[in-house]
Amino acid sequence: MSILVVGSVALDSVKTPFGEKSDILGGSATYFSYSASFFMPPGKINLVAVVGNDFPEEHLELLKSKKINLKGLQILEGQTFRWSGCYEGDMNEAKTLTTCLNVFETFKPEIPDSYRNTEYVFLANIDPDLQMDVLSQIKKPKLVAADSMNLWIKIKKQSFIKLLSKIDILVINDGEARIFTEQSSLIKAGKIILDRGPKYIVIKKGEHGSLLFSKKGVFSAPAYPLEKISDPTGAGDTFAGGFFGYLAKLNKTPNESNLRKAIIYGSVMASFNVEDFSLERMKRLTYKEIRNRYKKFKEITSF
Ligand code: AMP
């Protein structure tokens, strides 16, 4: 089995109460693929994105070292997508300072022939029309999940609604779910989105955990309790990488039980990612640490 991910590969500038870093590796597809790579055999993650010719070689080497396929990564003349944001007080929500689309502005995802049979498809946060375009290029996906963000939900609501009817799982955060459904109750929001088509909805609530909605009901998981969060950037995408990577590794039709485990793996991966800036903590991470934190998660939620 293999995973295809389409999304952003970026250079981020981030300020948190614990420091300030410029032009560090970021992007939704970057965080997702790096996180999912812990669950997949080598060479089974197909990345689709675009960067400019200013993108540092060392970042490409890092992704290659995790055996992530970069055949679908376009390197175009121009500057890489740049995002800058800061966190003050509430570490759950980034305040976006600037977004420079650069080569991302005219990005037209091209799916290499060797990617077209990918079974597990993750449409990370990009324009919903592009997400649909990518999906139409995949022959027979077994499982399709998607993420989105406020911007697209606001300016491309109809495309987003169309996308919902074509995917199995939607992974979004609480603020986005509220904006889309115009409901303050997340339970109501989850149900409304389920009615739009996806079989499962995952609503991420930052340090307050996540909710899984299905026709059978709701599962609620806490976030792993951490004393210090250095940089929350990429937590959502890292969560999605662990969640989807675990499901792809199982390679079975997801059921309630394995979706719940996938949520916990997602939470474990996100909890590591926020311990340092960019992918610094993920670079030092071992599968043994993931297993140990998964076990601890069980202990702290059992009663
Ligand atoms: P999150 O997991 O939600 O914290 O996502 C963080 C990543 O999203 C950062 O590394 C940014 O580079 C990336 N990002 C921010 N804005 C956008 C956007 N409009 N489109 C795609 N990616 C973005």
Side-chain angles (χ1 to χ4, degrees):
M1 87 317 279
S2 50
I3 296 180
L4 180 141
V5 54
V6 58
S8 58
V9 171
L11 294 173
D12 291 345
S13 296
V14 182
K15 190 177 171 197
T16 84
F18 301 98
E20 193 171 351
K21 310 259 175 191
S22 298
D23 277 350
I24 50 176
L25 177 60
S28 55
T30 311
Y31 282 111
F32 175 93
S33 53
Y34 203 92
S35 174
S37 73
F38 285 91
F39 299 87
M40 298 296 285
K44 295 292 182 184
I45 299 181
N46 300 326
L47 183 138
V48 177
V50 63
V51 290
N53 52 5
D54 60 343
F55 191 67
E57 187 63 34
E58 60 175 289
H59 297 336
L60 296 175
E61 290 307 319
L62 177 71
L63 297 174
K64 283 184 199 158
S65 74
K66 295 301 281 183
K67 308 284 180 239
I68 295 163
N69 292 325
L70 301 182
K71 209 172 171 192
L73 178 69
Q74 299 171 31
I75 302 177
L76 302 183
E77 189 79 28
Q79 296 243 309
T80 299
F81 170 68
R82 277 171 172 75
W83 172 83
S84 70
C86 65
Y87 302 83
E88 289 157 354
D90 182 2
M91 296 289 273
N92 282 324
E93 199 156 359
K95 189 169 155 216
T96 294
L97 300 173
T98 55
T99 302
C100 301
L101 293 174
N102 300 329
V103 291
F104 206 44
E105 191 156 10
T106 50
F107 177 43
K108 179 97 186 68
E110 279 163 29
I111 309 301
D113 282 345
S114 58
Y115 284 15
R116 286 178 196 256
N117 287 316
T118 309
E119 299 99 328
Y120 289 82
V121 178
F122 189 79
L123 307 166
N125 163 33
I126 52 170
D127 179 334
D129 287 328
L130 292 183
Q131 291 175 311
M132 247 156 352
D133 180 51
V134 168
L135 196 52
S136 70
Q137 295 180 58
I138 309 298
K139 284 189 183 145
K140 222 175 149 212
K142 269 193 188 167
L143 191 70
V144 181
D147 189 0
S148 196
M149 71 182 291
N150 289 350
L151 174 75
W152 305 123
I153 292 170
K154 279 184 195 153
I155 68 170
K156 291 236 172 163
K157 191 163 181 176
Q158 288 316 312
S159 301
F160 179 65
I161 289 173
K162 208 165 152 200
L163 178 78
L164 291 179
S165 65
K166 298 192 183 303
I167 61 172
D168 302 296
I169 308 177
L170 179 72
V171 184
I172 51 165
N173 70 33
D174 46 1
E176 294 154 0
R178 287 193 171 107
I179 285 182
F180 175 60
T181 59
E182 295 173 2
Q183 294 288 335
S184 53
S185 156
L186 288 179
I187 305 300
K188 276 191 188 158
K191 286 184 180 165
I192 291 172
I193 307 173
L194 267 183
D195 285 340
R196 291 283 185 179
K199 292 185 204 73
Y200 303 101
I201 317 292
V202 179
I203 299 186
K204 301 165 288 172
K205 302 183 291 171
E207 64 177 330
H208 304 300
S210 52
L211 297 167
L212 167 73
F213 293 84
S214 71
K215 294 268 180 290
K216 290 198 177 139
V218 186
F219 169 65
S220 174
Y224 188 80
L226 290 173
E227 265 186 38
K228 185 179 162 194
I229 296 175
S230 291
D231 174 17
T233 311
D237 306 304
T238 308
F239 172 99
F243 170 78
F244 206 64
Y246 175 74
L247 292 176
K249 178 184 163 184
L250 287 182
N251 198 20
K252 314 194 258 211
T253 307
N255 60 29
E256 203 70 24
S257 160
N258 48 44
L259 278 160
R260 289 180 179 204
K261 288 182 188 138
I263 292 262
I264 302 302
Y265 274 110
S267 308
V268 165
M269 298 308 284
S271 75
F272 283 115
N273 184 61
V274 302
E275 288 178 352
D276 206 340
F277 284 79
S278 184
L279 284 91
E280 291 309 317
R281 180 63 180 96
M282 302 299 280
K283 285 188 204 169
R284 306 190 295 269
L285 185 62
T286 63
Y287 194 72
K288 196 167 169 219
E289 287 178 295
I290 298 171
R291 287 291 311 161
N292 286 342
R293 197 167 276 190
Y294 181 87
K295 280 189 206 142
K296 273 205 156 157
F297 218 115
K298 247 191 174 157
E299 279 166 34
I300 59 168
T301 50
S302 135
F303 58 89

